[in-house]
Amino acid sequence: MRLHVGCAMWTHKAWQGRLLPHPLPPEERLRSYATWCNAVEGNTTFYATPARSTVESWAAQVGPEFRFVVKLPKPITHERRLTGADEELRAFLEAIEPLGQRAHALWVQLPGSFGPDDLGVLAGFLRGLPRSYRYAVEVRHRAFFDDERSARLLEGVLSGVGAEWVPFDTTAFFRSPPTSDAERDAWLKKPRLPRRAPALTDRPIVRYLGRDDTARTVEGWQEWVATVAGWLREGRSPTVFVHTPDNADAPVLARRFHDEVRAVLPGVEPLPEPAPVEPLTLF
């Protein structure tokens, strides 16, 4: 049984010299991160399609079992709303091709205004995508969480093409008011939606947002430990991304989540040992 865990990025100022060696050239940063986690969210592709040579560098730094969940660019999902974006989609697919099987899923994150009335557009878009990739869709319209009919309709669209519904669980974060600048910023920006746990495919993906306080983060993910263990028992292969408002300890927390699942299911394959961090020097 293999559980993949990761963070929203593979480089972060707060990790430098503490969790990851510093300084590191760009072509070594992902390689070092991959000793902590075996998956990563590809958020940067939302803002700009990378050069193919950049993606080739990513692929060279990690093994074939490492998982990228790569977000479609903003012009496709938010500006064009999945219509008339053939050129942008072609450029994106060409750029990420070097990832090969490392591209675990292409992630279609939709704006909060994309609701049940738009499901026909989503269905047509998903049907037109190449079958060489898996797809995962994240919705933020409240109706998909509050209205059972809308949820079933979305599940039908996704199941028809073998796509997964990605929950972004922020319930633990919004249980009490923010206590830090990072939490106050996230309080204004993150979606406030009910927790959703059912998996549609054999490769469910979870995004979980905790707090800057470790104890509250761990307390809030206990339901996911049980859910993920259940998926593994069923023969599924889940991927879980752990976020906090400042992400300062996200790799440590991701590994802790993995450890908690392994405590329930000792047969889960362990993560690699993190690469040692050399002490910072002046020269």
Side-chain angles (χ1 to χ4, degrees):
M1 292 183 287
R2 177 173 289 158
L3 166 62
H4 285 71
V5 295
C7 308
M9 71 286 286
W10 64 75
T11 183
H12 190 304
K13 185 176 181 181
W15 306 345
Q16 295 175 3
R18 185 170 65 92
L19 304 180
L20 305 180
H22 180 73
L24 274 177
E27 63 273 14
E28 293 294 329
R29 293 171 185 169
L30 176 56
R31 190 189 313 278
S32 184
Y33 165 88
T35 68
W36 279 85
C37 298
N38 54 4
V40 74
E41 290 183 358
N43 280 293
T44 59
T45 55
F46 180 71
Y47 301 101
T49 295
R52 186 182 173 99
S53 59
T54 299
V55 180
E56 289 172 348
S57 172
W58 298 348
Q61 294 180 59
V62 295
E65 298 301 327
F66 188 90
R67 291 181 175 178
F68 289 85
V69 176
V70 191
K71 193 185 292 189
L72 264 64
K74 183 178 180 180
I76 299 173
T77 56
H78 286 58
E79 296 172 9
R80 302 290 184 88
R81 296 173 65 89
L82 309 184
T83 61
D86 292 350
E87 183 59 30
E88 291 89 346
L89 179 62
R90 182 202 60 76
F92 172 74
L93 294 174
E94 182 177 318
I96 65 165
E97 187 179 10
L99 291 179
Q101 70 185 65
R102 298 169 185 81
H104 176 64
L106 304 191
W107 169 20
V108 184
Q109 185 187 79
L110 296 169
S113 59
F114 197 101
D117 291 343
D118 300 301
L119 285 178
V121 173
L122 176 62
F125 178 78
L126 293 174
R127 286 196 300 266
L129 294 172
R131 299 271 66 86
S132 52
Y133 292 104
R134 286 175 172 260
Y135 299 94
V137 176
E138 180 186 339
V139 292
R140 296 186 171 185
H141 194 288
R142 188 85 193 190
F144 293 123
F145 299 87
D146 293 343
D147 178 58
E148 185 174 348
R149 181 176 180 274
S150 295
R152 298 292 85 79
L153 287 172
L154 175 57
E155 288 180 352
V157 168
L158 299 178
S159 297
V161 294
E164 187 56 82
W165 181 340
V166 181
F168 186 21
D169 182 11
T170 61
T171 55
F173 175 73
F174 283 111
R175 279 178 191 155
S176 58
T179 59
S180 69
D181 288 343
E183 288 188 351
R184 281 184 280 275
D185 184 60
W187 193 268
L188 298 175
K189 295 178 179 178
K190 301 301 182 183
R192 192 177 303 210
L193 297 168
R195 181 179 183 272
R196 184 194 178 277
L200 301 182
T201 72
D202 63 337
R203 295 190 181 185
I205 299 168
V206 174
R207 307 179 69 226
Y208 168 77
L209 175 65
R211 300 293 295 251
D212 286 338
D213 177 77
T214 295
R216 295 169 75 185
T217 297
V218 172
E219 178 186 9
W221 76 31
Q222 292 308 308
E223 288 183 88
W224 285 116
V225 170
T227 297
V228 168
W231 286 339
L232 288 161
R233 290 191 187 99
E234 294 167 357
R236 302 180 197 262
S237 181
T239 304
V240 178
F241 295 109
V242 176
H243 299 235
T244 65
D246 65 11
N247 284 311
D249 294 312
V252 177
L253 290 165
R255 291 181 69 90
R256 179 164 176 177
F257 181 90
H258 193 280
D259 287 344
E260 291 199 9
V261 175
R262 285 193 74 223
V264 178
L265 292 177
V268 172
E269 184 174 322
L271 293 169
E273 285 300 313
V277 179
E278 297 297 327
L280 291 174
T281 64
L282 295 177
F283 305 100

